[in-house]
Amino acid sequence: MKHFTTIYDVPDHNKIIEEAIQLKQNPLAFSELGKGKTIGLIFMNPSLRTRLSTQKAARSLGMEVMVMNLDKESWAIEWNDDVIMNGNSVEHIKDAAGVLGTYCDIIGIRCFPTLTDKKLDYSEKILIQLMKYCNVPVVSLESATLHPLQSLADAVTIKENWKQNYKPKVVLTWAPHIKALPQAVPNSFAEWITKLDVDLTITHPHGYELCKDYTRGATIEYDQEKALKDADFIYVKNWSAYNDYGKTPEVKENWMMDLNKYQLTNSARIMHCLPVRRDVELSSKLIDHPKSLIQQQAANRVYSAQAVLKTILMKLPSKQTNIHALSLEEA
Ligand code: CP
């Protein structure tokens, strides 16, 4: 595995899920693997779980970690090629990424969407430009369209709580929110969970349809109560519209998941990726419910990141070839 930006970068998704479950048993089993290697974690947006779990995962593998809030702590980046830089941007991504690649053996980046320009966001320009110019493996810490580290942790959590010899019903339900949020978590959840041997139903109000590229294989149900019936896992998440891009069409009905709706389920396990707005997206009683897996999901972020970094480290050449080394050889 060279990069980790989608499930399609992973040669065997079942194997990496099992790898994370194994690492959870003994997180320091490969503490020498990353010795002498450095990961750079670049954030363009806020984070609690991704920022800390990926650091913990890298350190458990023996790696050095550097973290930078690129949007606030560095020069303004020019992401477009072939522009005369006489505006506000100070440094081109070609130069910045090249430098990062000489300092780091792996680079992680968080780069949220604009939610105003669908074509730009779904082109994953920032991620692609970094991968093009940094010369080292890139791990998505949540991009404009996908959050694969979260989805791997979600898959691990479902696997841990899945009764053997039983095909569970998993329901991803849209939830209310006070602002427009990206589609990255639900896109990614659908992309991963449709590859497992489960029945996935996605329920949302009219106007909140996700991009079909990610939901193929899932049942779409506009009636939330019908969708929740006999569910074994409920994944609660808000997202903004994909078709009327980034908009939040008015929803008159009550879509918040609460104890009354919970009665329709098969004593379902409750999931949410966090952060959650209590009693807006999901009732506090369900967040704190004995069947809630929300803290377990967050804990599993560490072992999921560790499984990804371990897989990449195993494939790294012992000596990274970078532009600087090449130019010294050529000189
Ligand atoms: N779930 C998740 O990615 O959390 P953070 O945004 O805090 O990293």
Side-chain angles (χ1 to χ4, degrees), residues 54-305:
T54 312
Q55 288 185 64
K56 189 171 164 67
R59 292 209 171 95
S60 293
L61 292 165
M63 299 187 82
E64 296 291 330
V65 184
M66 297 192 292
V67 185
M68 181 178 242
N69 297 314
L70 194 71
D71 59 325
K72 298 184 188 75
E73 296 169 344
S74 188
W75 304 107
I77 300 289
E78 176 57 61
W79 295 94
N80 295 304
D81 289 331
D82 304 322
V83 289
I84 296 167
M85 288 174 53
N86 57 0
N88 291 332
S89 50
V90 180
E91 178 161 30
H92 198 277
I93 184 58
K94 186 171 186 175
D95 304 313
V99 171
L100 291 170
T102 65
Y103 299 161
C104 303
D105 301 279
I106 302 173
I107 297 174
I109 185 163
R110 169 163 283 200
C111 46
F112 283 178
T114 62
L115 290 184
T116 54
D117 187 335
K118 179 173 13 184
K119 199 166 163 217
L120 177 73
D121 291 345
Y122 275 70
S123 75
E124 291 286 13
K125 181 174 197 154
I126 291 181
L127 196 60
I128 302 273
Q129 288 291 74
L130 177 66
M131 287 196 284
K132 183 169 155 192
Y133 290 125
C134 75
N135 301 307
V136 296
V138 170
V139 173
S140 166
L141 305 175
E142 186 172 344
S143 69
T145 64
L146 292 170
H147 194 357
L149 281 176
Q150 179 65 54
S151 308
L152 174 54
D154 298 336
V156 166
T157 309
I158 289 172
K159 263 274 153 78
E160 285 178 328
N161 291 279
W162 175 343
K163 290 187 204 99
Q164 293 304 308
N165 307 320
Y166 176 72
K167 193 171 186 175
K169 180 178 179 184
V170 180
V171 177
L172 167 62
T173 178
W174 183 89
H177 204 282
I178 61 159
K179 55 182 278 203
L181 297 190
Q183 297 113 33
V185 169
N187 283 347
S188 200
F189 184 76
E191 193 174 72
W192 280 75
I193 303 307
T194 49
K195 309 291 181 300
L196 304 183
D197 190 23
V198 306
D199 285 324
L200 176 64
T201 298
I202 304 174
T203 184
H204 54 71
H206 288 275
Y208 286 91
E209 293 78 9
L210 292 163
C211 174
K212 287 192 172 69
D213 291 347
Y214 304 103
T215 60
R216 215 163 281 121
T219 302
I220 311 300
E221 173 59 66
Y222 290 95
D223 182 333
Q224 190 191 32
E225 295 198 354
K226 198 169 158 196
L228 293 173
K229 197 163 171 345
D230 300 328
D232 299 294
F233 294 86
I234 307 288
Y235 198 101
V236 180
K237 185 72 185 87
N238 170 267
W239 62 88
S240 59
Y242 170 73
N243 291 328
D244 192 5
Y245 191 63
K247 297 289 189 302
T248 53
E250 188 185 2
V251 177
K252 293 212 170 79
E253 303 79 32
N254 171 24
W255 273 75
M256 188 182 80
M257 187 67 202
D258 59 19
L259 270 176
N260 280 339
K261 291 178 189 173
Y262 184 76
Q263 305 309 321
L264 297 165
T265 74
N266 182 26
S267 300
R269 311 310 303 261
I270 306 292
M271 301 179 74
H272 191 290
C273 64
L274 297 177
V276 64
R277 286 182 182 256
R278 282 175 173 256
D279 299 309
V280 174
E281 291 174 75
L282 177 57
S283 81
S284 284
K285 286 200 167 65
L286 285 180
I287 296 170
D288 303 328
H289 195 276
K291 291 283 187 174
S292 170
L293 296 175
I294 293 171
Q295 288 293 324
Q296 187 175 334
Q297 266 176 280
N300 283 338
R301 292 293 306 274
V302 175
Y303 313 107
S304 305

